[in-house]
Amino acid sequence: MAAYLQWRRFVFFDRETVKEPSGPDGAGAKPFALPPGIAVCDSGRGSLVFGDILSQIWFLPRSLQLSSFQAYKLRVTHLYQLKQHSILVSVGEDEEGINPLVKVWNLEKRDGGNPLCTRIFPAIPGNKPTVVSCLTVHENLNFMAIGFADGSVVLTKGDITRDRHSKTQILHEGSYPVTGLAFRQSGKTTHLFVVTTENIQSYMLSVKDYPHLELDTHGCGLRCSSLSDPSQDLQFIVAGNECVYLYQPDERGPCFAFEGQKLIVHWYRGYLIIVSKDRKTSPKSEFAGNEAQNSDKQVLNIYDLCNKFIAYSSIFDDIVDVLAEWGSLYVLTRDGKIHVLQEKDTQTKLEACNYMLFRKNLFEMAINLAKSHHLDSDGLSEIFRQYGDHLYNKGNHDGAIQQYIRTIGKLEPSYVIRKFLDAQRIHNLTAYLQMLHLQSLANADHTTLLLNCYTKLKDSSKLEEFIKTSESEVHFDVETAIKVLRQAGYYTHAVYLAEKHEHHEWYLKIQLEDIKNYQEALHYIGKLPFEQAESNMKRYGKILMHHVPNETTELLKILCTDYRPSGSNEGPGMLEGKKANSEEFIPVFANNSRELKAFLEHMTEVQADSPQGVYDTLLELRLQNWAHEQDEQIKEKLHNEALTLLKSGRFKTVFDKALVLCQMHSFKDGVLYLYEQGKLFQQIMHYHMQNEQYKKVIEVCELYGDQEACLWEQALGYFARKEENCKEYIAAVLKHIENKNLMPPLLVVQTLAHNSTATLSVIKDYLVNKLQKQSRQIEQDEQRIQKYREETMRIRVEIEELKASPKIFQKTKCSICTSALELPSVHFLCGHSFHQHCFESYSESDSECPTCMPENRKVMDMIRAQEQKRDLHDQFQHQLKCSNDGFSVVADYFGRGVFNKLTLITDLPSGKTATTIEAGLQRELLIHTKRST
């Protein structure tokens, strides 16, 4: 029970008297006066509604233009104006006696200028006439309840505006007058509160048979009950002389000790309005509480039940009723005046009350007041700040931090943090920082500070609780937290945080640099996705190789062949394996040659298309091992491995690199193999020359001399420079030179002249054979020359005869078909004759003999080829330079007529060619043929 005397008083309403509109002359307006005899009042739909004892119903709009109509013949006793519909329900009397009538008016429709009355029915419970005490209507127009002085309640269910669609029945019967009724709608459930002078009951109208429950055994007077709004959970308010009670449909709620005789009770915008008898006056009867004498003073109090203060209090003379409309309260007094109570705006109210409350340090009340008036978050935050400052100054740091926590999001955190940096207040600072993180408003500095607080307090439980929040509840910068924990030496917590939030780099850095748990770090890398596993092995591979070489090598083998994360839930066939570039991990094996060799050999076995760098490094590694090995058996094995690798065909593109490696390690067989593969035959021979392996020199010449003839010449020069007795090898070389005619004899003699041990007997056979061959060649050439001379003389004689003497054709057979020659026929100077039809069928030209034409064309083609090659200077120079026998090249070109003017038979006049003359002679021989045709 709340003590009324302890409640603070405020003035949240401004009181004014309603005045008539100013006239045209601008004279001061006088107070507005209500018509006399007002008995009942209500409000809604933009008007104040009055009923008087003269049967009139009055409407007062905001313009203060009164209007009325006669609703009954005698008097109006009750009015109820619906708030959501333009429906007015009235109770009055049309004749003397107890015979009340209920009329339902539609204010939007007119009947002769008056509102349309849609329904009239008598308000009598059963057959016994009684006085109507109260009236209420449900806003959905499906329920209407009428209370009577004999204790009965009549319920009308259905459309209350029509007779046909509604049903009336007696809901409640009792011995005490009904003083109040109220409908409560909660979802689809409808309750009706019924209060009498002695009890309070609740009926459930949404259930058949209307079950009811008695809530209390005391009641109230007329107009001393009301229904609150949703801010008070639609509770039924009953005001007794000692207390005000609040009821739910099934139980009694809180009560407030507001003493004094209650006359009127209303609910308005979260406020409870009570008009009570001034204590200085005499009490009245319980039931007829509103029939006060004209001299009575009445107190109007406006209570805020949530915040427990009085928003307004004032004394009036004989209040008729209090109505709410147009956002204000209107107090009607018996003298016909209307007083308006206008609520102040929220800011004004808060400034006024906060000033007083702050001055008296009543911050809790100020906070509640601000919340009830829906003050914005900025305003509330300022109150919390001032409250926190007040508590801080008093030394109540625990209470202060709670108020500062309520300012999070509005007040700059540094304002609070600076106040609690003292070591003695570190637990308060921790609480504030925790809440700052929970609201996701902390930055990296706040996280650092909070974790430092935990470590200073050595509160491991709180620290673990902070870092082990679920993924969706993380309200801090994880990376910052890891750094702070690592710096403070909480490696286990830092590792947990890094692993949970997948900060792989930090996890590995702490494991390797701080905890030195290399095995766990390697295992962790094996669980990472491919890209991250690859990058981390490149970064930390050297450290891991130094401490756990075998395990690291195995992981690298997997990473470069068919990598799948070790902790993956996917089946073997579900997740496609990936592989890294094995060449990029070679630097990881620095100073670990044994593991490097195992890795490279594994890669070349399982992955034949490994990068070239893998094969290059493996070759270098094998050559190094071979060069440093002392055991002959092992050395031979390493020799074979290196040579096998060279012969694998993987070094064609890096021939030079492989050759340099073999030369660096003096790997003879490898060098010779690469020379051979690169067709570097001269280098092979020079290698044997440097090692003075004479037989090998001869073997090289025999193997590759056909591909590179100069090898024999170089071999001859090599042996010629040797002062040793190399007659055997010189003879072998000279024999091959002689057979292949690789060098002129003079050059051979000049070459061997440098060798003091080479006597004439060494080259005697060579010179004799050479001279004999040349002699035979000279004889053959002389015979050929003589033959050509004779042939030339014969041809010249024939040409002269053809020019000077007639040609007799004595052929009797055709040279083509061998049949007897008949006219017309064709004869050629060469002596061939043809039938004309055979000649035309087989001849390609009219001027050439078909039989001699192939041989003639060969000769002509040779002549043309010689003419075309006359100007091939570059070709001549090239052949001359590359040939071992330059004299033969010059002689060949000289024989082709390159160096003299070509003459076929004799010099021809300018402008004529041999072809032209030959064609002319053949035409002359065909004269007789043309004549015969």
Side-chain angles (χ1 to χ4, degrees), residues 701-833:
C701 291
E702 290 174 348
L703 287 172
Y704 311 117
D706 294 339
Q707 301 180 47
E708 199 165 343
C710 63
L711 292 177
W712 291 103
E713 300 175 17
Q714 294 177 10
L716 181 62
Y718 170 72
F719 289 123
R721 290 190 297 271
K722 290 294 181 180
E723 298 298 329
E724 303 173 8
N725 188 3
C726 299
K727 294 180 180 180
E728 177 185 352
Y729 304 110
I730 293 174
V733 174
L734 286 175
K735 183 178 179 181
H736 192 85
I737 290 175
E738 179 187 353
N739 294 336
K740 298 294 184 179
N741 193 24
L742 299 178
M743 294 176 64
L746 182 60
L747 185 59
V748 173
V749 174
Q750 291 176 349
T751 302
L752 291 175
H754 299 290
N755 192 325
S756 59
T757 62
T759 60
L760 185 61
S761 61
V762 177
I763 61 172
K764 175 182 176 182
D765 295 339
Y766 167 76
L767 291 175
V768 170
N769 293 335
K770 197 66 177 177
L771 291 173
Q772 289 177 351
K773 284 184 180 180
Q774 289 183 354
S775 297
R776 288 193 294 271
Q777 184 67 36
I778 290 171
E779 292 177 0
Q780 292 175 1
D781 291 344
E782 289 178 348
Q783 293 175 1
R784 194 177 294 111
I785 290 170
Q786 185 61 32
K787 179 182 177 181
Y788 287 158
R789 284 176 178 172
E790 293 174 354
E791 183 71 18
T792 302
M793 290 300 295
R794 184 184 63 78
I795 292 174
R796 285 179 176 176
V797 171
E798 289 182 0
I799 292 173
E800 290 296 330
E801 289 179 354
L802 288 174
K803 288 182 178 180
S805 303
K807 178 68 174 178
I808 299 174
F809 299 101
Q810 296 179 344
K811 286 282 187 178
T812 60
K813 292 185 179 181
C814 176
S815 299
I816 293 178
C817 66
T818 68
S819 299
L821 198 62
E822 298 176 353
L823 295 176
S825 60
V826 179
H827 303 276
F828 285 91
L829 294 176
C830 61
H832 295 101
S833 298

Side-chain angles (χ1 to χ4, degrees), residues 599-622:
F599 172 72
L600 296 176
E601 289 177 346
H602 172 80
M603 293 308 303
T604 55
E605 290 174 4
V606 302
Q607 208 172 70
D609 59 342
S610 294
Q612 185 60 45
V614 172
Y615 287 91
D616 295 345
T617 308
L618 181 58
L619 175 62
E620 183 179 3
L621 201 59
R622 286 184 175 180

Side-chain angles (χ1 to χ4, degrees), residues 357-368 383-384 386-388 390-391:
L357 294 175
F358 291 168
R359 189 176 58 187
K360 297 182 178 181
N361 298 323
L362 299 175
F363 290 98
E364 287 291 347
M365 180 174 287
I367 292 169
N368 294 333
I383 298 175
F384 294 142
Q386 294 185 36
Y387 192 14
H390 169 71
L391 295 175

Side-chain angles (χ1 to χ4, degrees), residues 622-734:
R622 286 184 175 180
L623 291 175
Q624 287 178 356
N625 294 339
W626 171 82
H628 294 90
E629 184 58 48
Q630 300 297 326
D631 190 299
E632 290 299 327
Q633 293 183 350
I634 299 177
K635 192 177 185 71
E636 180 65 22
K637 180 182 178 182
L638 294 174
H639 174 278
N640 295 334
E641 289 179 353
L643 194 59
T644 302
L645 182 61
L646 275 175
K647 293 180 178 181
S648 65
R650 294 293 306 186
F651 299 93
K652 294 179 180 179
T653 58
V654 290
F655 173 83
D656 295 339
K657 186 175 182 179
L659 183 59
V660 169
L661 288 174
C662 291
Q663 290 173 341
M664 287 174 55
H665 296 87
S666 301
F667 190 57
K668 169 186 171 182
D669 291 346
V671 171
L672 294 176
Y673 172 78
L674 291 173
Y675 281 160
E676 181 181 357
Q677 293 298 310
K679 299 187 183 302
L680 303 176
F681 306 127
Q682 294 187 36
Q683 280 79 353
I684 296 176
M685 191 169 68
H686 289 162
Y687 181 85
H688 292 307
M689 288 177 178
Q690 290 174 359
N691 293 280
E692 296 185 352
Q693 298 174 337
Y694 302 149
K695 290 184 179 181
K696 292 290 184 180
V697 172
I698 299 299
E699 290 177 4
V700 170
C701 291
E702 290 174 348
L703 287 172
Y704 311 117
D706 294 339
Q707 301 180 47
E708 199 165 343
C710 63
L711 292 177
W712 291 103
E713 300 175 17
Q714 294 177 10
L716 181 62
Y718 170 72
F719 289 123
R721 290 190 297 271
K722 290 294 181 180
E723 298 298 329
E724 303 173 8
N725 188 3
C726 299
K727 294 180 180 180
E728 177 185 352
Y729 304 110
I730 293 174
V733 174
L734 286 175

